[in-house]
Amino acid sequence: LTVIRPKGDLMLNLGADTTLCSGNSITLRAGNKFLNYLWSNGSNDSTIVINAAGTYWVRATDSCKNIQTDTIIVNPAPPVPLSIGPDRSKCNNDTLLLTAPAGFINYSWGPLYNINSTNTQQVVVNPARDTIYYVKAEKTPGCFGFDTLRIKVYTSPPINLGPDVRFCNGDSVVLRAGNGFTNYTWSNGATSAQLTVKAQGTYSVKATTAEGCS
């Protein structure tokens, strides 16, 4: 039994023009009802896998020797917008919350240094030195956005007022908070780098650097 298909019974259609993300690939399908195929890249299969943007066409011949041609334009996909904000700074052992935008399939953070997670939208970091953190997020299958953020770490000098002391009535002792600070606040309200104490009691000091580290 011979089946003769009338002309135009088969329709060749590669689909609408599309986009392709960098490093990704897509399959172009001409259908499996034709007898012969010839693609612009020389392939004779009914499908081809492409990994680069460009213009692709296929010429298909059916059993009645009818020839159809279709073309598809594959444009490079625009960059996926992703921002985790401007560079930041921190003091001493402070922690920072880094947040990526919502709406992505998955997230991948790095480096694996003083970070509480690597695959969530929000992470908490506590670097002890200047560090650049990065995130890679998948918007649609195979399409990723990237961003980096630098954290500057400031430290304040340690303060040691020394061991508890005793002195006789009429005597005094000098307490020194040390250098490297721009602001001093003592428990009695004094604001100098050192304090002369003439009365018994408990004394404390908070000192702050120019970067705001206390």
Side-chain angles (χ1 to χ4, degrees):
L1 176 65
T2 301
V3 177
I4 300 177
R5 297 181 181 274
K7 185 176 181 180
D9 184 47
L10 295 177
M11 294 299 296
L12 178 64
N13 184 7
L14 295 179
D17 294 344
T18 188
T19 59
L20 179 66
C21 292
S22 176
N24 204 1
S25 63
I26 58 175
T27 300
L28 302 182
R29 306 178 187 277
N32 58 2
K33 303 299 183 180
F34 291 89
L35 185 63
N36 296 305
Y37 303 87
L38 176 63
W39 292 84
S40 50
N41 66 351
S43 173
N44 298 118
D45 201 347
S46 62
T47 66
I48 61 170
V49 177
I50 63 169
N51 53 22
T55 299
Y56 298 86
W57 56 261
V58 62
R59 184 166 64 240
T61 305
D62 63 20
S63 57
C64 295
K65 297 185 179 180
N66 298 313
I67 298 175
Q68 296 185 51
T69 302
D70 195 22
T71 299
I72 186 172
I73 298 175
V74 180
N75 293 302
V80 176
L82 175 63
S83 174
I84 52 176
D87 292 346
R88 300 171 67 178
S89 63
K90 54 157 284 190
C91 291
N92 302 324
N93 198 40
D94 293 345
T95 60
L96 291 176
L97 176 67
L98 307 183
T99 303
F104 287 83
I105 299 173
N106 55 63
Y107 302 87
S108 178
W109 294 83
L112 189 60
Y113 167 64
N114 287 10
I115 185 170
N116 72 326
S117 176
T118 59
N119 58 6
T120 55
Q121 181 189 352
Q122 293 183 326
V123 297
V124 177
V125 297
N126 182 22
R129 60 179 183 271
D130 293 356
T131 304
I132 296 177
Y133 288 95
Y134 62 84
V135 63
K136 173 183 176 182
E138 190 174 16
K139 185 65 175 179
T140 57
C143 295
F144 297 88
F146 305 87
D147 197 22
T148 60
L149 179 148
R150 179 183 178 87
I151 296 178
K152 177 70 176 177
V153 180
Y154 295 103
T155 56
S156 53
I159 296 178
N160 184 3
L161 298 180
D164 294 344
V165 297
R166 294 181 179 183
F167 56 83
C168 297
N169 288 333
D171 290 342
S172 63
V173 64
V174 177
L175 306 179
R176 296 178 174 85
N179 300 320
F181 300 95
T182 58
N183 178 269
Y184 301 85
T185 303
W186 291 86
S187 53
N188 68 347
T191 58
S192 57
Q194 65 182 40
L195 178 67
T196 301
V197 174
K198 298 180 179 180
Q200 71 175 21
T202 300
Y203 295 86
S204 63
V205 65
K206 178 180 179 180
T208 305
T209 67
E211 295 80 21
C213 298
S214 300

